[in-house]
Amino acid sequence: MTDQREETENLSLITEEVPCGLLRFTCEKTPKITYVNRQMIEMMHVLQDGGDAADDVELYKSNIYLMIAPESRKRFAQVLQAVYSEGTPYAGEINVIKGDGARGRLFGWVMKCRTREGREEVRSLCMDITKRYARKQDEQGRRYLSALSGIYDLIFEFNREDRTVRYLHGNLAEMGEYLEGVPMQLETATEKWLNHLVIEDDRARLSQFLRMHILEDVQPENRPAQISFHFKKGKNAEGEYQAVLLKAGAAISYFCCRETTPKEDTSALRRRNDSLPGEKEDMQELLRHFTDGEKKYVMLYEADKRNLKEQ
């Protein structure tokens, strides 16, 4: 009995002092957390200014999906099902929603184990990589935008989560409302942009396109969403933009517009897009990360490389 008590005390000391988050939860469709260490609680920003966070901790414990970002929940469920049925450990990254509402990124391992009492459970070891991930995304984003700027005349960044839009590239000098790189409220800014730039006959169609593919996140299979529309070009002239919506993350999309000429057919932009990886070094890798946000934001990969499947 003494040896067993000492072993339990030593294990408790390790789980509380190890510089990682530790979780244990049940093998159920909606897993319940049975243990969480102090580091994990702090990592998830549940402890607020030294206050009593018991209620918040219990809320997380009742349903582990509350800490998973919406875009990662489906993949998380698939991975847990594989862990349950195959018993194969998984390792990788996941997007989370912290206790204060901030988004975060964790790297960790998930494995199925058996308790002393013979019950099956899942154990997870996590590290917070939010800052490192943000720096990497920012660097890749700048490189990607630099490459796109060489092809497109006008680029906007739409953030569905923050409901903002930023004008990133182009010449909108006639639109003093827009400041380059400054986030603006999505609906208001988009309405002003449509009214100032797009001819009246195309406004409703373009507005519906943006609403469906950005706010509602409806995406066509195997290709980016595309649209053409006419814009005001001087007092009595019109031009035509061929536009493509490129996913740059789970909630972020780049709306890229390129002016077409009377002799240029609609396949020209597609040919330019196809040539993009060859024009910029490492663009194939960048496009893999950014043109499909859902795939980029998958949260776990198999630890065993032999069983790893490409996302």
Side-chain angles (χ1 to χ4, degrees):
M1 291 293 292
T2 301
D3 292 342
Q4 183 176 348
R5 183 170 60 252
E6 289 179 351
E7 181 181 351
T8 301
E9 291 175 352
N10 290 336
L11 180 59
S12 176
L13 178 63
I14 292 174
T15 56
E16 289 302 323
E17 296 302 323
V18 66
C20 298
L22 291 174
L23 285 173
R24 295 166 60 183
F25 48 92
T26 58
C27 295
E28 300 178 90
K29 185 175 182 179
T30 304
K32 296 179 177 59
I33 299 174
T34 57
Y35 172 80
V36 55
N37 72 342
R38 176 172 52 84
Q39 284 79 2
M40 189 68 188
I41 292 175
E42 294 175 350
M43 190 184 301
M44 292 298 297
H45 296 178
V46 176
L47 297 177
Q48 298 293 316
D49 300 325
D52 184 3
D55 291 342
D56 292 337
V57 173
E58 290 305 316
L59 185 63
Y60 276 114
K61 284 185 174 181
S62 66
N63 184 352
I64 196 172
Y65 284 100
L66 294 177
M67 64 182 285
I68 310 299
E71 71 275 2
S72 294
R73 288 173 184 169
K74 180 178 180 180
R75 176 60 180 165
F76 182 63
Q78 293 172 342
V79 169
L80 287 187
Q81 183 57 44
V83 170
Y84 296 164
S85 59
E86 302 171 11
T88 304
Y90 279 68
E93 300 177 12
I94 180 175
N95 296 318
V96 296
I97 303 296
K98 299 188 177 184
D100 58 0
R103 293 176 65 86
R105 184 86 166 182
L106 303 182
F107 176 83
W109 296 264
V110 182
M111 66 193 73
K112 185 170 72 172
C113 303
R114 191 174 294 274
T115 66
R116 290 179 178 274
E117 294 77 19
R119 296 192 307 271
E120 290 186 336
E121 68 174 10
V122 177
R123 298 177 186 176
S124 180
L125 181 67
C126 306
M127 296 182 294
D128 193 337
I129 61 169
T130 303
K131 292 182 179 179
R132 184 178 67 185
Y133 179 74
R135 288 194 298 268
K136 181 179 179 181
Q137 291 292 96
D138 185 60
E139 177 184 352
Q140 291 179 330
R142 287 196 300 269
R143 294 169 60 197
Y144 186 43
L145 182 60
S146 176
L148 292 176
S149 299
I151 294 178
Y152 295 98
D153 302 306
L154 194 64
I155 301 176
F156 289 95
E157 177 195 82
F158 285 89
N159 189 317
R160 187 177 68 257
E161 180 180 289
D162 296 339
R163 300 187 80 85
T164 60
V165 57
R166 291 196 301 157
Y167 159 52
L168 298 181
H169 170 72
N171 182 16
L172 290 181
E174 71 279 10
M175 295 175 60
E177 302 274 353
Y178 273 91
L179 296 177
E180 188 169 355
V182 178
M184 298 181 66
Q185 200 276 335
L186 193 151
E187 288 84 353
T188 302
T190 302
E191 182 179 359
K192 289 181 178 179
W193 172 65
L194 291 173
N195 290 336
H196 278 82
L197 190 65
V198 181
I199 67 168
E200 186 174 358
D201 290 346
D202 285 353
R203 286 175 197 164
R205 182 170 58 88
L206 181 55
S207 178
Q208 182 181 11
F209 172 89
L210 295 174
R211 182 172 59 254
M212 179 172 68
H213 295 297
I214 294 176
L215 294 179
E216 299 175 10
D217 197 27
V218 177
Q219 304 300 329
E221 294 185 4
N222 303 321
R223 62 181 179 85
Q226 300 184 43
I227 190 172
S228 60
F229 62 93
H230 292 85
F231 67 96
K232 302 172 185 177
K233 193 174 183 180
K235 292 184 177 181
N236 301 310
E238 294 181 1
E240 183 180 26
Y241 276 136
Q242 183 73 18
V244 60
L245 191 67
L246 301 177
K247 294 281 286 184
I252 296 177
S253 299
Y254 290 153
F255 185 63
C256 306
C257 308
R258 178 169 177 265
E259 184 177 358
T260 61
T261 65
K263 295 181 180 181
E264 183 177 27
D265 61 32
T266 57
S267 65
L269 182 60
R270 187 179 301 109
R271 292 195 297 270
R272 290 295 300 275
N273 286 335
D274 292 340
S275 69
L276 181 61
E279 293 180 11
K280 295 290 181 177
E281 184 178 2
D282 296 330
M283 278 307 302
Q284 183 175 359
E285 178 66 13
L286 291 177
L287 287 172
R288 183 179 69 82
H289 283 292
F290 284 90
T291 57
D292 192 336
E294 184 176 4
K295 290 182 181 178
K296 173 59 186 170
Y297 276 74
V298 297
M299 70 93 183
L300 289 173
Y301 299 94
E302 293 190 29
D304 187 349
K305 293 292 183 67
R306 293 171 299 178
N307 295 327
L308 182 64
K309 294 182 178 179
E310 293 291 335
Q311 299 301 320

